[in-house]
Structure formats: C-alpha cells, structure tokens
Amino acid sequence: MIEVEELTKNFGVTTALNRISFRVKKGEILGFLGPNGAGKTTAMRILTGFLTPTSGTARIAGFDIQRQSLQARRKIGYLPESAPIYRDMYVRDYLRFISTIKGMTGPEGKRRIGSVIEDCGLDQVRNRIIGKLSKGYRQRVGLAQALIGDPDILIMDEPTEGLDPKQIIEIRNLIKNLGGNRTVILSTHILPEVSMICERVIILNEGKLIAVDTPENLNRSLTKHSQIMLGVRGPAEQITAVLQSVPGVLKVECRDDFLDSMLSFNVEVSQTEDIRSRLAEKIISNRWELLELRSTSLSLEDIFIKLVTREEEEPSV
Amino acid sequence: MKTWWTLFKREFASFFVSPVAYVVLAIFLIITGILFYSNLLWYYQNSFGMFQDPYMIRSMNLTDDLIRPLFANISVILMFMIPALTMRLFAEEKRSGTIELLLSYPVRDSEVILGKFSATLTFFVVILLLTLVFPVFLYAVSEPETGPMITAYLGCFLMGASFIAVGTFASSTTENQIIAALLAFGLNLTFWIVGWISPPGTGTMSTVLQYLSIIEHYDPLTQGILNSKDIIYFLSVTVLFLFLTNRVLLSKKWRG
C-alpha cells in the first residue's frame, strides 16, 4: 500500500531524513517511534505532499507522491500534530467543507458526514464553533476530517499528544476501531501506545531508520537472555550462592527491598530453557520463604533507549 | 472548478467572522465619505463665485472636479486598506498550521491561491459597490457623465485586483500578519511612486519607470480614457504576483 524507497530530506545543512526505506501492507497498523526531532513528522509530511523529498521516492497505493500527487493525496486521510483545523468554523460546516473538497458531495457526502459524526462521537458538538471545543473534542474533529473521504490510508502525527488520560484512552480506542481494514501510520513517543495499537514499529533516530519489526520481535532480538525476578526472605549470601549454582543462571544480583523486608534477586538466565520451576524448587527445599517469582522482559522503553544509545555509541565516520 | 468554488466559499465566509473586514469596511466608507463631502463643499462654494465669471464657469465640471478627486482618494485609501484584507490569507494558515492540512487535501496549489484571491476580490467588490452611494447622489442632484464613471470604477477594480494579488503574495511569504501587511503596503507604495524617479525626457529608463507606475495607468481611467495598455498593465501585475505566490508555496515544500 505504501512503498518508501531511499527517502531523504535535507533542510539546508541538516539532514532530517536519511535514506529511509520501508513498506506498509494493506490493513497494517504501523507505528513511528523516535525521540523529538527524529524525523517522524518530516516523513509524514513527505507522504502527505506537504514537503518534497530531496531524493528518493514514495508511492501511495501505486501513485508516486511527486508525479501523481493529487491521486496519492486522494487515498490519504491525514491528522497533523495538534490537529490544526479552522477554529472559526462550526463543526458541521467544517465537515461539509472537507467532504466537498475531498469530492464527496450530494447525498453521498451527507451520509458520510453523518456516519463520521457518529463514529467520532461528535453528535453533541456538531453545532458548536471548533475554537470553543475542548482539546479532546478538537482532536476528534481532526480525526473526523481525516476519515471523511473514506481513505484507504490514515496518517496520524502524535494523535494522543496533549490529551488527558481519559481522552487518550478514548482516542486510542477510536483509532483501533476506526482503523478497520485501513492502512494506518501513526507516530508517537509514548511507548506503550505502540505495543497497544501497532502491529509493526519503525524506530527513527536523527533521521535514520534504526529498526523495523513487530514489538514482540524487537523485544526478543534485543535481549539475548531474559531476566527472572525473585522475592525471597532469607540469608542473602546463601541464597545468592544457591541460585548461582543452578545450571542456566548467568548472573545473580541481590537487592534489599526494605518495604517488604524481603530480598529481591535479579537473575539473568540464558534463553534456551525455562528454569523458573527449578529456581523455585531450590528456594523451597532450603526452607526459605518464596514471596515472588516472575520473568521480566525488556519494556519498549528499554528497547528504545538501547537502540538509540547503541546508535550513538557507534563511531561516526 | 468545484474545488475552487468550495475554497472560495470558505474563504469568503471567513471574512465575516473576523472583525478585520468590518473595521476595513467602516474606515473605508467613513474616510471616502468625508473626502467626498469636502470636495462637494469646495465645488459648491466655488461654483457660486464662478457664476460671476462666464469664462471660468466653463472649466468646471463634475467629472474633473468631483469624480476624479474621489477616485484618486479611493486609490490612496485602498493602498493602505487592501493589505489589511490580504494579510490574513496565508499568514494565518501558516501560523496556525492549517495550511498543512489544506495542502494535504487533493487540491492544487493554484486552486488554493485562486480561491483566496477571488474571495478577497469579491469582498473588495462589495466595498466598491457601497461607494455607489456617491454617484447615486450626483445623479440625484445633477447630470454627471456616465462614461468616465464606468471607466473609473473599472480602473478601481483592476487596481484593487493588483493590490490583492500583491497582498496575497506578501502573505504567502511570512506567518506574521503584520509583516505581511507592511510588505504589501510597501510594494503597493513602490509601484505608486516609482514614476517619480524617472529621469526627464523620453529615454528607455524614463519610459520603463513611467510604465511601471500605477498612477500612470490609473489616472487615465478616472478621466474616462479607456486604453488597452492600462488594462494590460493591471492584469499583468495581478497575474505576476499570483504566479509568484505559487512559486513561494512550491519553494516552501522544498525548504520546509
């Protein structure tokens, strides 16, 4: 559905995007992840025709974004960061304006507006001025304008930015439900959001693409070994020694948890086999109190920081 | 065409949402009204004196003594006022970021520009129609010449179109409305006074500078002289600045 090849964008001497290539299949939900200034917005602006790439190409549903810009743009619903919509217009007038501009007029347009108003929960505010709406509602109007042309592709730049937690959940659900069989690209720097919504993640840093994968795969590939956390009441040194002796254990770290008067052990184990039951057995057979045992995997935050810092550690040419 | 019409309607409606348009309209009518009335007073008082002198009375006529000064005044006021109407066009969309959405829709840049230009031009025509109260008054009390009146309005319309194109261009270069207005006003004024620095004689330099000057092309129209070169002048200024606006939008896509 979306094919991006070697996309580069320079602003003067700064390189905002550096030879980015990726593909998005029909119906896929793709997340752009990266710190501020990583090039997420630039990439989206190129796809939506607001910026021209310095080099490289992108095709939207087979249409080249530069040579067949209008056809490509017809396939896209775009929600830029912080939903810049005309504040001096009424919600219904605004949606009518958008629908005619996207070529939906007459009864078809009317039906489409009606269904978008319903889907985005805008029924109560349809006769209000956009500028007087709350941020959450403005974001919904933004989403509504993106959906109105019934586009195959939805591109959203930080759709949950600046909303309160309740609104964030509402908008996330809207995106998930309205996505349907659309192809969706969204950017965010809220990491859990990505694992919650997206099927695939692209991690950008300083204009470079540093990883493309599913959230799970990223997790797996970056952690050669997994970690197990144990909460035990008993003598620290003895326990450490016993845990060390279990085959498969690579490293044991002991930390005094003052709150529960228990000891927390971070056990790094190789990923070849599951040794959780063996660890539990050891503790119990020594008559120590086993209070907690769980395997901890790296969160997206950890992956993100690992990737970004690993990138920085590489010597620059 | 349909896209243009949609853009035109939104742009035209937004004039009546912002107070700027009403302020421009009110100030314009008040000032032109005062100036017209003062000319009328002068004409009235002088015509009494001239009655004593049958030779002088022949040199007085409504076209030269009322219509021409009225339109000369209008043109100066427009030079200030039209930038106030056009400053918003692109600058506001750029500041609020709405331009990003607008250009992501399946619309051509030229349609966006023409939508904004024609909406402003239409609002300007509304203002111009309101000044018809002065000719109507003259027809009620006297018998002014109709021909010069029509060419004067045509000249005013063409000059307004040029000013609006200049203002649209100025607005596209910045996201600061004050700068957009000042730049438009500066360009208008430059076109106004450029003839003053033309060297005496009929050299190339002199001809070119004279030709660039707005007054050179506007004044004949207020006298009732319809000359194709004047019409072409205003049309080419309009087209040139709309084209430049298009270039500015294009270059923004490269420069970000």
Side-chain angles (χ1 to χ4, degrees):
Chain A
M1 205 63 180
I2 302 174
E3 296 150 301
V4 174
E5 264 157 53
E6 300 275 305
L7 214 56
T8 301
K9 181 72 189 171
N10 298 329
F11 295 117
V13 288
T14 51
T15 304
L17 273 188
N18 197 347
R19 297 158 69 96
I20 303 279
S21 303
F22 62 87
R23 267 152 207 263
V24 192
K25 290 197 292 286
K26 190 169 164 37
E28 197 173 23
I29 301 183
L30 177 80
F32 276 6
L33 198 59
N36 290 330
K40 294 169 289 178
T41 302
T42 306
M44 291 187 162
R45 285 181 167 174
I46 290 175
L47 288 178
T48 55
F50 185 62
L51 289 176
T52 309
T54 309
S55 66
T57 57
R59 273 187 302 281
I60 303 267
F63 296 112
D64 188 283
I65 50 153
Q66 277 179 278
R67 273 170 294 151
Q68 296 157 300
S69 176
L70 284 186
Q71 287 102 312
R73 277 187 267 165
R74 254 180 218 120
K75 299 280 175 195
I76 296 179
Y78 180 37
L79 174 60
E81 198 177 344
S82 70
I85 47 186
Y86 296 113
R87 286 166 164 255
D88 56 3
M89 288 179 93
Y90 288 93
V91 173
R92 62 184 144 76
D93 291 345
Y94 178 68
L95 294 179
R96 202 175 302 140
F97 165 67
I98 303 298
S99 76
T100 36
I101 226 167
K102 291 191 175 182
M104 286 205 161
T105 45
E108 190 204 2
K110 217 168 240 169
R111 211 175 322 118
R112 187 70 200 147
I113 293 173
S115 77
V116 164
I117 282 181
E118 198 178 305
D119 289 345
C120 296
L122 291 170
D123 208 32
Q124 294 170 309
V125 298
R126 65 196 303 166
N127 291 323
R128 304 249 311 260
I129 289 178
I130 291 170
K132 302 247 193 280
L133 296 178
S134 70
K135 185 112 181 24
Y137 267 118
R138 271 212 302 279
Q139 199 73 13
R140 282 162 183 243
V141 177
L143 204 55
Q145 65 78 29
L147 287 165
I148 223 159
D150 204 4
D152 294 338
I153 296 164
L154 266 183
I155 297 182
M156 290 176 279
D157 198 356
E158 309 208 346
T160 57
E161 176 77 9
L163 300 178
D164 69 36
K166 189 167 159 279
Q167 293 167 332
I168 289 182
I169 292 169
E170 286 171 358
I171 292 286
R172 262 184 216 155
N173 287 336
L174 265 177
I175 292 170
K176 253 196 265 184
N177 298 336
L178 300 177
N181 47 11
R182 292 193 177 90
T183 310
V184 179
I185 298 184
L186 62 91
S187 76
T188 178
H189 51 235
I190 306 171
L191 297 151
E193 201 162 270
V194 170
S195 40
M196 234 177 282
I197 309 177
C198 302
E199 294 157 18
R200 222 148 54 97
V201 187
I202 283 184
I203 297 183
L204 291 170
N205 188 41
E206 290 174 359
K208 271 179 272 179
L209 192 153
I210 47 181
V212 195
D213 218 328
T214 62
E216 298 82 48
N217 275 349
L218 277 176
N219 208 337
R220 210 173 303 147
S221 66
L222 275 162
T223 46
K224 303 255 166 19
H225 28 258
S226 55
Q227 286 190 328
I228 294 170
M229 186 271 185
L230 284 149
V232 188
R233 238 176 241 151
E237 281 122 63
Q238 275 172 283
I239 298 173
T240 313
V242 167
L243 290 176
Q244 249 352 330
S245 69
V246 178
V249 170
L250 300 168
K251 202 172 130 200
V252 180
E253 252 174 64
C254 176
R255 204 154 36 84
D256 210 336
D257 202 332
F258 295 102
L259 272 175
D260 284 345
S261 72
M262 72 170 187
L263 299 164
S264 310
F265 293 90
N266 257 327
V267 185
E268 242 175 58
V269 298
S270 64
Q271 256 187 338
T272 43
E273 51 181 335
D274 192 354
I275 58 162
R276 277 177 295 181
S277 57
R278 222 179 299 154
L279 290 174
E281 215 176 83
K282 282 278 176 195
I283 304 286
I284 289 162
S285 66
N286 279 300
R287 301 203 168 266
W288 297 315
E289 290 173 71
L290 178 62
L291 300 171
E292 213 180 328
L293 188 153
R294 63 190 151 92
S295 77
T296 56
S297 60
L298 281 183
S299 67
L300 266 168
E301 263 99 351
D302 300 322
I303 297 176
F304 184 60
I305 288 173
K306 265 200 170 170
L307 278 170
V308 170
T309 45
R310 196 176 64 182
E311 186 75 16
E312 278 162 4
E313 280 161 12
E314 278 173 14
S316 52
V317 185
Chain B
M1 192 63 185
K2 204 163 169 187
T3 313
W4 165 79
W5 176 238
T6 312
L7 292 165
F8 169 84
K9 275 193 296 184
R10 198 207 78 77
E11 203 64 47
F12 190 65
S14 73
F15 272 112
F16 297 95
V17 179
S18 115
V20 175
Y22 292 105
V23 171
V24 168
L25 191 67
I27 292 177
F28 179 79
L29 290 179
I30 290 168
I31 295 178
T32 48
I34 292 173
L35 290 170
F36 178 74
Y37 187 66
S38 78
N39 277 332
L40 199 66
L41 274 184
W42 178 89
Y43 189 82
Y44 173 75
Q45 281 159 358
N46 273 32
S47 56
F48 270 112
M50 301 260 181
F51 261 128
Q52 317 300 325
D53 187 345
Y55 188 72
M56 284 292 279
I57 194 77
R58 252 181 251 158
S59 71
M60 280 197 88
N61 68 72
L62 285 175
T63 303
D64 277 346
D65 296 327
L66 274 179
I67 308 283
R68 268 183 78 191
L70 171 67
F71 278 91
N73 289 333
I74 286 179
S75 68
V76 177
I77 300 165
L78 288 180
M79 194 163 57
F80 291 93
M81 289 301 191
I82 285 183
L85 289 179
T86 55
M87 64 181 185
R88 184 183 54 89
L89 294 179
F90 280 101
E92 193 181 36
E93 295 234 24
K94 286 167 86 170
R95 192 189 45 80
S96 66
T98 50
I99 188 96
E100 185 176 351
L101 254 187
L102 183 61
L103 297 182
S104 82
Y105 298 138
V107 296
R108 292 186 181 85
D109 291 359
S110 56
E111 289 170 329
V112 172
I113 295 167
L114 284 180
K116 287 179 182 297
F117 170 77
S118 53
T120 317
L121 191 62
T122 309
F123 187 79
F124 168 65
V125 168
V126 171
I127 298 180
L128 220 49
L129 287 179
L130 290 171
T131 66
L132 280 176
V133 66
F134 307 127
V136 164
F137 170 78
L138 288 182
Y139 277 106
V141 299
S142 181
E143 290 162 356
E145 286 180 277
T146 306
M149 201 90 85
I150 292 172
T151 58
Y153 267 104
L154 176 71
C156 211
F157 172 79
L158 288 171
M159 188 187 56
S162 312
F163 284 168
I164 292 168
V166 168
T168 309
F169 163 75
S171 187
S172 74
T173 60
T174 172
E175 54 183 61
N176 184 326
Q177 294 193 36
I178 295 169
I179 291 176
L182 282 175
L183 181 61
F185 171 64
L187 284 168
N188 291 346
L189 191 60
T190 309
F191 273 107
W192 190 268
I193 60 175
V194 74
W196 297 354
I197 54 168
S198 69
T202 51
T204 317
M205 188 68 175
S206 171
T207 320
V208 168
L209 290 177
Q210 292 281 340
Y211 187 80
L212 283 177
S213 161
I214 288 179
I215 322 172
E216 288 295 314
H217 300 280
Y218 181 64
D219 202 41
L221 284 164
T222 62
Q223 293 174 52
I225 302 166
L226 193 60
N227 205 329
S228 60
K229 81 167 188 202
D230 301 328
I231 294 169
I232 288 167
Y233 168 82
F234 285 119
L235 290 181
S236 41
V237 170
T238 308
V239 171
L240 171 72
F241 277 95
L242 290 180
F243 171 76
L244 288 177
T245 311
N246 198 331
R247 293 286 109 176
V248 170
L249 289 192
L250 192 65
S251 95
K252 288 278 184 241
K253 291 189 183 184
W254 287 96
R255 290 189 294 130

